[in-house]
Amino acid sequence: PSLLQLKLWNKYRVSNIPSLIFIDASTGKVVCRNGLLVIRDDPEGLEFPWGPKPFSEVVAGPLLRNNGQTLDSSALEGSHVGGYFSAHWCPPCRSLTRVLVESYRKIKESGQKFEILFVSADRSEDSFKQYFSEMPWVAVPYADEARRSRLNRLYGIQGIPTLIVLDSKGDVITRQGRVEVLNDIECCDFPWHPKPVLELTDSNAVQLNEGPCLVLFVDSEDDGESEAAKQLIQPIAEKIIAKYKAKEEEAPLLFFVAGE
């Protein structure tokens, strides 16, 4: 592939094909990452130009609890929300759910307003019910396939399990909820605002696949070494992140310090 092709693949973080991405030609901003889903769900183009809608609008409608109670999606207003895209047939999903149940309990007990919304990718209503019976939070009804699909489209979900954490206004705090939950068992850093520099660990190494990364390797024998390395790249990372945030864009680089 030519250099231009590679640049486009990198710019739009294309990791699998076919990918169809809609872009606003006047600003160059991505309007929608999941073009293939859009065309499947809206073959007539009734929702064109397929731009992102607010979370509250996409989620609008009844939600379920596993005891059969229903509540309106407006009950989520004013809370941090974890959008949990998961399915019973997927082993990593089941193991994340077990951890997440504990995290959810800890966060609620600490008095913070937090709700998790399960968006199922199960293959049948029965397996949805079986899986949801283990969950103490709310779900989009399995039968409402259109709403489940709209939520997948809104966040460009490429794989499961994915946990996206939203603030009380419905804006994304982090798409890496899975990594955060596994790295922070005590939930001390909830709601997990992204840190400019991360320690490279088994559980967050998956982020190396998401685009260009800067990794500073240090000799982990010396305890202070890793902290000193962080101090070294933190101001650079903060400056780059702030510059792109001002343009309402994601920074083009992730920063890591790696010990062992």
Side-chain angles (χ1 to χ4, degrees):
S2 71
L3 188 60
L4 176 62
Q5 284 171 316
L6 285 173
K7 276 185 168 169
L8 288 168
W9 278 66
N10 282 337
K11 180 176 174 64
Y12 297 114
R13 297 186 175 184
V14 175
S15 56
N16 48 8
I17 55 172
S19 273
L20 177 60
I21 297 171
F22 295 116
I23 297 156
D24 179 335
S26 58
T27 63
K29 286 209 173 113
V30 171
V31 175
C32 169
R33 287 194 167 280
N34 268 17
L36 296 170
L37 272 183
V38 168
I39 285 170
R40 191 197 73 189
D41 291 352
D42 184 23
E44 306 288 308
L46 302 175
E47 294 178 36
F48 183 83
W50 302 307
K53 296 185 165 74
F55 169 71
S56 56
E57 189 179 316
V58 177
V59 79
L63 302 176
L64 295 178
R65 289 203 177 277
N66 65 14
N67 60 6
Q69 270 186 322
T70 60
L71 67 163
D72 188 73
S73 57
S74 59
L76 299 175
E77 284 167 21
S79 290
H80 283 82
V81 175
Y84 186 36
F85 298 82
S86 186
H88 191 259
W89 51 262
C90 148
C93 290
R94 293 200 299 275
S95 55
L96 180 61
T97 298
R98 286 193 290 275
V99 177
L100 198 50
V101 167
E102 286 305 302
S103 303
Y104 177 76
R105 193 178 51 75
K106 284 175 186 154
I107 294 165
K108 299 283 268 190
E109 281 175 1
S110 73
Q112 302 188 74
K113 287 185 129 187
F114 181 50
E115 195 47 76
I116 292 177
L117 174 69
F118 172 41
V119 184
S120 167
D122 288 294
R123 291 175 177 147
S124 71
E125 175 96 37
D126 283 346
S127 89
F128 161 76
K129 280 183 176 151
Q130 183 191 345
Y131 193 28
F132 188 40
S133 70
E134 304 163 19
M135 300 180 184
W137 44 74
V138 299
V140 176
Y142 184 79
D144 195 342
E145 201 174 328
R147 192 160 34 138
R148 288 191 289 125
S149 188
R150 282 198 299 273
L151 284 158
N152 273 280
R153 265 166 42 197
L154 178 62
Y155 298 114
I157 302 300
Q158 301 278 348
I160 55 172
T162 294
L163 178 67
I164 292 183
V165 183
L166 310 176
D167 66 17
S168 54
K169 296 198 291 291
D171 296 326
V172 174
I173 292 175
T174 178
R175 301 177 59 87
Q176 300 294 337
R178 174 192 185 181
V179 171
E180 297 291 356
V181 162
L182 296 175
N183 272 350
D184 180 22
I185 295 296
E186 292 305 316
C187 308
C188 305
D189 294 332
F190 177 81
W192 302 301
H193 287 280
K195 297 186 178 79
V197 182
L198 296 168
E199 297 246 350
L200 191 59
T201 63
D202 284 347
S203 57
N204 67 19
V206 58
Q207 289 175 258
L208 296 176
N209 297 324
E210 297 204 354
C213 299
L214 182 146
V215 184
L216 181 54
F217 290 91
V218 296
D219 181 357
S220 58
E221 296 299 300
D222 178 2
D223 279 354
E225 196 76 13
S226 159
E227 203 39 56
K230 235 186 222 174
Q231 299 300 329
L232 183 69
I233 52 178
Q234 181 108 2
I236 302 166
E238 284 173 351
K239 196 169 169 183
I240 290 174
I241 291 165
K243 179 180 147 188
Y244 279 83
K245 196 172 183 178
K247 296 194 279 187
E248 292 183 22
E249 289 177 25
E250 275 186 49
L253 200 55
L254 291 173
F255 296 86
F256 292 94
V257 168
E260 292 183 35

